[in-house]
């Protein structure tokens, strides 16, 4: 009988020993991957301007619009914002664009064309919103009136590597 108890205890001991040493913590290796983040958004997708005045003896008075804003988030260090038109405006019409630069950037007003123009350079790691977008429409006296429909083209602003 003693032998049976001793044998039973010997067989049970490893199970009791393993449960008596249970841990109250654990460890894990955790990897965080951060990708290149480049986000832009505009407060509105539509801007309309009308050129309808001039001073006698001068070219038509430019029309400007600064009613829209943009937001930018990037974790990049050497970025820029470029602007391009999908199609050129008719002869005698032009569109300039000036973006308020985010902190650390430098803005330059540009006349847009179908070739990308640098609008803001020196863009680094930033997350800002409510940055003003200013459009200026110009016409020469030789531009053909296009009212009431006007002439609509798409402006694309891109955040890209400098």
């Amino acid at each position: 009988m003693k032998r049976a108890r001793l044998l039973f205890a010997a067989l049970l001991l490893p199970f009791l020993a393993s449960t008596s040493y249970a841990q109250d913590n654990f460890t894990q290796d955790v990897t965080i991957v951060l990708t290149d983040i480049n986000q832009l958004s505009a407060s509105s997708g539509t801007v309309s301007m009308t050129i309808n005045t001039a001073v006698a003896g001068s070219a038509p008075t430019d029309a400007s619009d600064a009613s829209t804003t943009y937001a930018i988030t990037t974790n990049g260090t050497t970025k820029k914002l470029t602007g391009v038109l999908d199609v050129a405006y008719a002869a005698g019409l032009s569109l300039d664009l000036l973006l308020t630069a985010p902190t650390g950037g430098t803005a330059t007003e540009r006349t847009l064309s179908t070739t990308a123009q640098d609008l803001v350079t020196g863009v680094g790691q930033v997350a800002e919103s409510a940055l003003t977008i200013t459009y200026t429409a110009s016409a020469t006296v030789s531009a053909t009136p296009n009212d009431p429909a006007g002439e609509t083209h798409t402006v694309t602003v891109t955040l890209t590597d400098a």
Side-chain angles (χ1 to χ4, degrees):
M1 185 69 147
K2 277 188 171 185
R3 246 189 197 157
R5 281 188 194 165
L6 196 53
L7 182 60
F8 179 72
L11 292 173
L12 191 58
L13 186 61
F15 294 106
L16 293 175
S18 66
T19 57
S20 65
Y21 294 114
Q23 295 182 349
D24 62 357
N25 62 32
F26 66 88
T27 62
Q28 291 181 309
D29 293 331
V30 178
T31 301
I32 298 174
V33 176
L34 177 62
T35 62
D36 200 26
I37 298 170
N38 298 299
Q39 296 293 313
L40 285 176
S41 66
S43 61
S44 174
T46 304
V47 174
S48 182
M49 295 174 285
T50 302
I51 300 172
N52 59 6
T53 62
V55 173
S58 299
T61 303
D62 293 348
S64 291
D65 182 284
S67 65
T68 59
T69 61
Y70 75 101
I72 180 173
T73 298
T74 182
N75 60 354
T77 56
T78 53
K79 302 289 183 177
K80 65 181 179 178
L81 294 168
T82 62
V84 65
L85 285 173
D86 62 335
V87 176
Y89 281 96
L93 295 178
S94 64
L95 180 65
D96 289 4
L97 175 54
L98 176 63
L99 301 176
T100 298
T103 302
T106 302
T108 304
E109 185 172 18
R110 300 285 187 194
T111 300
L112 296 177
S113 69
T114 56
T115 301
Q117 307 280 332
D118 288 351
L119 301 171
V120 180
T121 57
V123 177
Q125 297 168 323
V126 68
E128 292 184 23
S129 60
L131 299 165
T132 304
I133 302 169
T134 304
Y135 287 103
T136 302
S138 301
T140 64
V141 293
S142 60
T144 304
N146 60 16
D147 63 324
E151 188 176 339
T152 302
H153 296 291
T154 301
V155 174
T156 301
V157 176
T158 303
L159 176 61
T160 187
D161 291 331

